[in-house]
Amino acid sequence: MRARCLAAVLVGALGLASCRLLPAPLPPGALEVAEQAHLAQRLGREAEAAALWARAAELAPDWVTPRRALQLAELGALRGPAAYAAALAAARDAASDPAGAEAYLLARLEPPARDPFLAGARAGSAWSAHGLGVHRLAAGRVDEAVTWAQRAVERARGPVDRVQFLLGLARAEAATGREGPERARRLLRTEYLALPESSPLRADLFMGHLEVPGPAGSPSSTPERAWWEAEAAGWLDDPRLSEAELRAVHRAALGPRLAREVDAVRWLGPSGPPPWPTLDLPRFLPGSQVPARPPSWSPRWSAWAADLPRVVLDEDLLPRDLAWREAVRLAEREGPYEGEIAAALLAVGAVDEALAVASSARSGLAHLEAGREGLERLARALGRMASGELELRAGDATLSFEPPRTPQEALRALDQALAPVARLSPELAEVTLEEARLTSLGPLATLLVPVDAKGAPVGSAGMLLERLRTWLQITWPLGMRPQVVLGQALLVEACEGELLGRPWSGTRAILRAVQGTPVGGAAHPGGYWVDADAAASAARRWRSLRARFRGAADLRAALECPAPLGGATELLPLLGEGDRVALATMAPEGWSDGAEELELDAPSVSDLLDLSLRHEEAHLADYRQWLPVWRALPSVLGLVLEGSFSVRGTWALVEARAQLASLCVASEPRLALVEVLWLVEDLQRGLARGEYPHAEGYERLLRGLLAHLPEAAPDLDPGRALCHQLHRVGPEELRRAALALAREWGLVAPGWQHDG
């Protein structure tokens, strides 16, 4: 509370003069047109929305909101460099900027590291105060975020602004502690009730309440949450919501038990779920009856396996893992064999799917719930440990500790969490992680993985986790919190190979349903894991981008947008360059001379997972080069020196090396470049700096590539920023630049040559 007061005093002192100014009133016509534009934008009617925003800007030339919306439309059309050049020119040429419009429109394109909103917020700009609050919240400075968000609300020019600023304030309030989410919901409810029932802005506030989290340990039902849940019935088919928003409302209304029933269709449905609008979900509201079992049954595997990578499947598109193969065999039989299917799914650790099937048959739930309880308890315990505190109850005893503690002490406490899971394997009388293999990465980290280098389980915990097809990896980086990964194994196997002439070997685990980490894979000296779900999510992002750019005119507008003038190798705000490279990668050869409708070729899940495989294999090649540390001391010391003698800096460099190696050997290197650009743009926008330093490493990699591009791709315009011309670089030109950088970084074995 004291910190909140100090933040308020500081912000008040910085902007005292501006507090005395009232926001200028807007023409009523502009407000009405803006609400219509906002609704059209929500419903995906982009052309209509753009025309309405342009009209609102004509009616109120000094109003930031419509100009911001038009700038967002330019960014959405992937014309970010043009928007950036226009904002730079407007800010430079403006004789005066009393509303702070030009400064704000430029600031929102600049990286948060430059604190671009601070001057405008101090000068009284409502949108700058809102932007500053968003940046402060992303940086973890919650009290300042709340204060600046409140300042934005006070200076809102009409309902459209006010609702957007209130949503920002609610997000900041929700992060303030145990009572924060309840305050945030109350704030949204007050504004919701103040608006006319017909207002399209009510939809923003309703959807905003779904984003308000509940802190750990909070009651599942509170007065504010209960009020919003009751209000949900009126939104299940509201025309003010987009299809995606309706889907979110329905899932929230279902609740976990009924959502599980609907998800059972994955294995037991007649032919998959019906199209969303025809699915009668309002009758699934709390208190209604669980839907009856579908009258007919048919195979579900092929639909569910569509998002699985080929590496886990054989030539017949069946799982290579024998236990998974048995689950599929049973699921494809005709007839209601739910009990057998549930047991087979449980045997591969698919506890949620097993529960979905078993609950449809109303049989075997006790055994399955015990397994689910055990796994969830383990996941919660690991999550507490990763967040800095672990507290487990065993009978009347409570074990608790806070890092830093030794890995061995952590394992003894985690054994208490594993005990309930052992009920799924009665022959394992005692389950302990203490027997698991601990691996040292010299001075940087210690790792635990309960399998050996050939993939065989180590100790009783390793046997149990293998039985449940569950993968566990815990990393203790020096000076950082433990990092825990828990996932369901689709395939675990021993493998070996070479990358850029450097050998590697170890255990490979392909996982799904990974918990505890935002990354899509990780390596240790004995092997690595990758997340198939992360690759599937990336594939959906590519397909979503493809759906937005069907016409040649839209694609041409994005890819022919001129790069800003300036230093060729300077790294400017990327402003969608990752998406532009993705479009260029998907576009057919000679597309600019073809028909107006294009068929863009999006990469598959397997294509994207292959990048992750090569990335992690590059880590294994590095580990073989650097370990044991005493044998490669000069190389390791050089690495630590390049990483500025910090664990984070060294780790970032290691990630940059691995991504560079995957870029060099990928069949389509632009796929790997898109990953780099997406993450670096997130870093520029303040969205990627967390416990994992991948984005910082990728930024270093990108700067290195830009330095080698003039020689590798001589057709690029040297008078314009190369970072906005990457979509003009062909795959082999990119590979040449990457290989030049890889040799500079020592990633290429002597004598190795690219055979392409």
Side-chain angles (χ1 to χ4, degrees), residues 69-249:
L70 291 170
Q71 187 188 73
L72 283 171
E74 280 282 273
L75 295 174
L78 298 186
R79 293 183 48 79
Y84 185 61
L88 276 171
R92 182 179 59 245
D93 299 340
S96 65
D97 188 16
E102 309 304 344
Y104 168 77
L105 292 171
L106 176 60
R108 65 180 312 278
L109 303 180
E110 297 281 3
R114 301 178 186 174
D115 221 354
F117 292 120
L118 184 58
R122 288 175 176 175
S125 164
W127 273 107
S128 291
H130 170 74
L132 186 57
V134 171
H135 282 186
R136 291 294 187 262
L137 183 60
R141 296 159 68 174
V142 177
D143 292 320
E144 289 181 55
V146 170
T147 305
W148 283 114
Q150 288 171 336
R151 179 64 50 80
V153 172
E154 292 166 3
R155 296 193 53 78
R157 297 181 72 184
V160 175
D161 285 7
R162 180 175 172 82
V163 166
Q164 296 308 306
F165 299 158
L166 275 166
L167 290 169
L169 177 56
R171 283 188 286 269
E173 283 284 5
T176 57
R178 185 179 177 86
E179 303 300 324
E182 193 75 349
R183 283 197 303 271
R185 291 189 182 91
R186 188 180 306 117
L187 183 76
L188 296 177
R189 177 162 70 100
T190 300
E191 187 70 16
Y192 179 89
L193 293 174
L195 289 171
E197 286 193 16
S198 60
S199 171
L201 298 174
R202 271 195 160 201
D204 292 75
L205 296 165
F206 178 78
M207 295 306 300
H209 103 271
L210 292 179
E211 299 176 12
V212 176
S218 66
S220 59
S221 181
T222 63
E224 292 297 329
R225 186 180 295 185
W227 187 90
W228 281 110
E229 286 172 354
E231 191 70 12
W235 286 94
L236 289 169
D237 57 355
D238 195 286
R240 289 170 289 184
L241 296 181
S242 68
E243 184 176 339
E245 289 171 329
L246 286 171
R247 190 174 293 116
V249 172

Side-chain angles (χ1 to χ4, degrees), residues 241-265:
L241 296 181
S242 68
E243 184 176 339
E245 289 171 329
L246 286 171
R247 190 174 293 116
V249 172
H250 285 149
R251 288 198 177 279
L254 278 174
R257 182 174 67 91
L258 291 172
R260 187 188 304 161
E261 292 289 338
V262 173
D263 287 342
V265 130

Side-chain angles (χ1 to χ4, degrees), residues 292-366:
R293 190 180 71 183
S296 61
W297 307 85
S298 67
R300 298 303 309 129
W301 166 255
S302 58
W304 187 74
D307 268 349
L308 287 180
R310 288 297 301 268
V311 69
V312 305
L313 306 174
D314 63 16
E315 294 180 356
D316 298 320
L317 300 183
L318 291 172
R320 292 171 56 201
D321 180 274
L322 295 180
W324 273 102
R325 184 185 292 265
E326 176 63 11
V328 171
R329 185 187 68 80
L330 288 170
E332 293 206 330
R333 289 170 61 185
E334 291 296 329
Y337 299 102
E338 300 94 324
E340 294 177 68
I341 296 174
L345 290 170
L346 182 64
V348 294
V351 181
D352 284 335
E353 288 84 358
L355 278 164
V357 172
S359 61
S360 182
R362 299 292 182 271
S363 62
L365 284 176

Side-chain angles (χ1 to χ4, degrees), residues 568-569 704-716 718 722 737:
T569 59
L705 287 173
L706 292 175
H708 285 278
L709 268 180
E711 182 178 352
D715 291 340
L716 298 180
L722 292 179

Side-chain angles (χ1 to χ4, degrees), residues 402-440:
E402 293 185 5
R405 289 292 184 96
T406 66
Q408 290 79 2
E409 288 176 316
L411 298 185
R412 281 194 290 272
L414 287 172
D415 286 341
Q416 300 294 322
L418 268 175
V421 195
R423 283 183 281 177
L424 297 177
S425 300
E427 67 274 20
L428 297 175
E430 293 185 12
V431 181
T432 175
L433 279 165
E434 285 191 78
E435 304 166 8
R437 184 166 56 95
L438 290 172
T439 302
S440 172

Side-chain angles (χ1 to χ4, degrees), residues 515-533:
Q515 304 175 55
T517 177
V519 299
H524 56 93
Y528 67 87
W529 63 266
V530 291
D531 182 5
D533 288 347

